[in-house]
């Protein structure tokens, strides 16, 4: 059977539906915005597809909001959602996906680390019939050795633990068909590890290799502490194996305690009461106490996330928007 082609993709009869929605989450990106709009605008003009650019201003405290308003004035295909505070990249992306009208949707970083030119290849693959086309980094030369190592370990762990394979060395830079965006939109959990959610919904996917350049301007918004929490969100969101491991650790400790207990009782019965034993007592108390805290901590990680879900708060609050009407419906 030959693969079906989807040449009709990108020819929606409705004038209000652009072929391409580009989503740019941004947090304090004033330095890079002029370069971004210049390069993205140039690329999109030359591409010639109908499009919209949805800029999600994730509570920036610099001139980002002002620059975005000016950009919207110049070109109303640039639309803006201003969050009421910083909600984090994953949430900003979610808001962008909720607001996107395009037949194909591409999230892209503001710092031009995701080269817009790749979108042309994405569109080709999409028209061949793939619903998700994601960019895979050929190498990680633009990262420090430490970041490369932690990233590799992270993908090893999460792919061993989670039920759905999450491709290594990918980011959020990908093209998704409308159907995929709708499916992801149904997942309203607060613990949002977007790469995992994208993988979870499935659909026909393929990859495109690329070299990730350095940030065009400005500073990274992710320090190691934020990345660690990001990794915890990823693992707890897609696996309950840590809870099971906690159970096994408990069982093994109990088993060891029973064996040692039998040994101690027998020795006492045979040789009589043996008072010295301070060292073994301390080791046992400290070890078991420590293990209990670790296991409780693991349970706490899940419980905390469960609590956040139970509160059922909206995922984000949009303070103002430009280019969308009506405004409501973007705050769920
Ligand atoms: N970002 C965001 N909210 C945040 C942190 C980051 O919207 O709280 C955006 C940021 O503006 C950029 C993208 O997410 O467009 C990726 O961030 P960054 O380049 O700092 O991450 P890195 O490339 O260093 O992993
Ligand atoms: Mg970056």
């Amino acid at each position: 059977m030959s693969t079906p082609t989807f040449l009709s993709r990108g020819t929606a009869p409705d004038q209000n539906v652009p072929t391409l929605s580009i989503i740019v989450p941004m947090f304090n990106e004033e330095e890079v915005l002029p370069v971004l709009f210049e390069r993205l605008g140039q690329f999109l003009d030359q591409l010639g597809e109908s499009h919209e650019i949805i800029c999600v201003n994730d509570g920036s405290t610099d001139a980002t909001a002002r620059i975005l308003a000016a950009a919207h004035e110049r070109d109303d295909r640039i639309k803006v959602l201003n969050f009421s505070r910083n909600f984090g990249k994953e949430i900003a992306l979610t808001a962008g996906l909720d607001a996107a009208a395009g037949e194909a949707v591409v999230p892209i970083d503001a710092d031009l680390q995701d080269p817009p030119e790749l979108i042309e290849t994405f569109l080709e693959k999409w028209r061949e019939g793939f619903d998700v086309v994601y960019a895979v980094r050929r190498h990680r030369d633009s990262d420090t050795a430490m970041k490369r190592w932690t990233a590799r370990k992270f993908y090893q762990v999460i792919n061993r633990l989670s039920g759905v394979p999450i491709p290594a060395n990918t980011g959020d830079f990908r093209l998704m068909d409308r159907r995929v965006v709708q499916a992801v939109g149904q997942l309203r959990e607060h613990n949002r590890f977007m790469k995992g959610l994208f993988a979870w919904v499935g659909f026909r996917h393929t990859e495109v290799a690329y070299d990730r350049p350095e940030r065009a301007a400005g500073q990274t918004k992710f320090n190691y502490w934020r990345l660690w929490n990001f990794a915890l969100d990823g693992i707890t969101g897609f696996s309950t194996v840590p809870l099971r491991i906690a159970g096994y650790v408990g069982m093994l400790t109990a088993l060891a305690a029973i064996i040692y207990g039998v040994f101690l009782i027998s020795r006492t019965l045979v040789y009589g009461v043996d008072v010295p034993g301070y060292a073994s007592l301390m080791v046992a108390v400290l070890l078991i106490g420590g293990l209990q805290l670790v296991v409780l901590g693991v349970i706490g990680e899940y419980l905390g996330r469960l609590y956040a879900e139970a509160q059922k708060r909206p995922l984000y609050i949009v303070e103002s928007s430009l280019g969308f009407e009506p405004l409501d419906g973007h705050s769920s």
Side-chain angles (χ1 to χ4, degrees):
M1 204 185 84
S2 68
T3 36
T5 50
F6 290 75
L7 284 172
S8 58
R9 279 181 162 176
T11 52
D14 186 346
Q15 290 283 301
N16 293 324
V17 176
T19 302
L20 196 59
S21 292
I22 301 209
I23 300 174
V24 200
M26 37 186 91
F27 177 49
N28 292 343
E29 297 287 9
E30 61 181 4
E31 282 169 63
V32 85
L33 286 187
V35 206
L36 170 77
F37 285 129
E38 154 130 27
R39 175 130 160 239
L40 198 57
Q42 217 165 36
F43 165 72
L44 287 168
D45 284 345
Q46 166 248 306
L47 188 69
E49 305 274 1
S50 61
H51 65 266
E52 61 177 1
I53 303 176
I54 300 180
C55 303
V56 187
N57 171 15
D58 186 9
S60 302
T61 50
D62 63 359
T64 298
R66 232 174 322 123
I67 299 173
L68 289 180
H72 171 71
E73 277 299 306
R74 274 198 308 276
D75 181 349
D76 64 3
R77 289 174 301 186
I78 299 180
K79 303 177 179 180
V80 184
L81 291 176
N82 287 306
F83 276 2
S84 56
R85 65 168 171 85
N86 179 248
F87 281 86
K89 183 187 176 190
E90 311 296 293
I91 302 281
L93 261 183
T94 306
L97 291 177
D98 291 344
E103 287 184 72
V105 179
V106 178
I108 191 168
D109 281 1
D111 57 5
L112 289 169
Q113 285 197 286
D114 303 330
E117 293 72 26
L118 213 61
I119 296 174
E120 200 166 350
T121 322
F122 286 178
L123 284 168
E124 274 165 30
K125 297 271 178 199
W126 176 57
R127 291 201 161 107
E128 276 170 31
F130 291 102
D131 296 301
V132 182
V133 189
Y134 52 80
V136 181
R137 297 172 68 166
R138 223 172 258 136
H139 49 70
R140 282 183 161 261
D141 290 356
S142 58
D143 283 350
T144 60
M146 176 76 175
K147 195 157 174 188
R148 280 204 295 268
W149 184 80
T150 45
R152 196 171 60 235
K153 285 288 158 221
F154 169 70
Y155 283 111
Q156 271 173 8
V157 169
I158 196 155
N159 274 320
R160 186 161 292 181
L161 297 187
S162 86
V164 278
I166 295 170
N169 298 326
T170 57
D172 298 312
F173 187 35
R174 58 188 64 218
L175 177 145
M176 285 169 285
D177 184 73
R178 177 94 246 126
R179 297 187 295 161
V180 180
V181 174
Q182 259 153 11
V184 173
Q186 286 175 32
L187 311 178
R188 301 314 288 179
E189 59 237 61
H190 282 249
N191 178 13
R192 299 191 82 72
F193 178 65
M194 292 310 278
K195 271 184 275 197
L197 299 183
F198 292 153
W200 187 88
V201 296
F203 290 96
R204 238 185 119 204
H205 57 85
T206 188
E207 55 181 63
V208 174
Y210 81 119
D211 294 318
R212 190 169 171 85
E214 307 258 359
R215 211 174 216 285
Q219 298 272 307
T220 176
K221 311 293 180 288
F222 288 89
N223 54 29
Y224 275 108
W225 178 243
R226 230 173 148 166
L227 283 173
W228 165 248
N229 284 304
F230 183 61
L232 277 188
D233 279 345
I235 291 167
T236 50
F238 284 87
S239 170
T240 49
V241 173
L243 285 175
R244 203 168 306 153
I245 293 174
Y248 289 138
V249 168
M251 268 192 293
L252 281 179
T253 327
L255 194 70
I258 290 169
I259 294 170
Y260 189 52
V262 169
F263 164 73
L264 281 183
I265 291 167
S266 325
R267 198 177 61 173
T268 314
L269 289 178
V270 177
Y271 296 107
V273 180
D274 170 23
V275 177
Y278 176 73
S280 57
L281 197 66
M282 275 315 277
V283 168
V285 167
L286 291 178
L287 179 73
I288 293 178
L291 282 177
Q292 277 176 333
L293 288 181
V294 170
V295 168
L296 268 180
V298 173
I299 298 172
E301 284 292 330
Y302 285 89
L303 188 67
R305 283 169 175 79
L306 194 62
Y307 180 54
E309 300 300 339
Q311 287 174 315
K312 287 202 165 55
R313 292 184 186 161
L315 287 177
Y316 51 86
I317 304 287
V318 175
E319 177 197 288
S320 61
S321 71
L322 296 169
F324 295 101
E325 60 340 299
L327 207 162
D328 55 55
H330 294 316
S331 56
S332 60

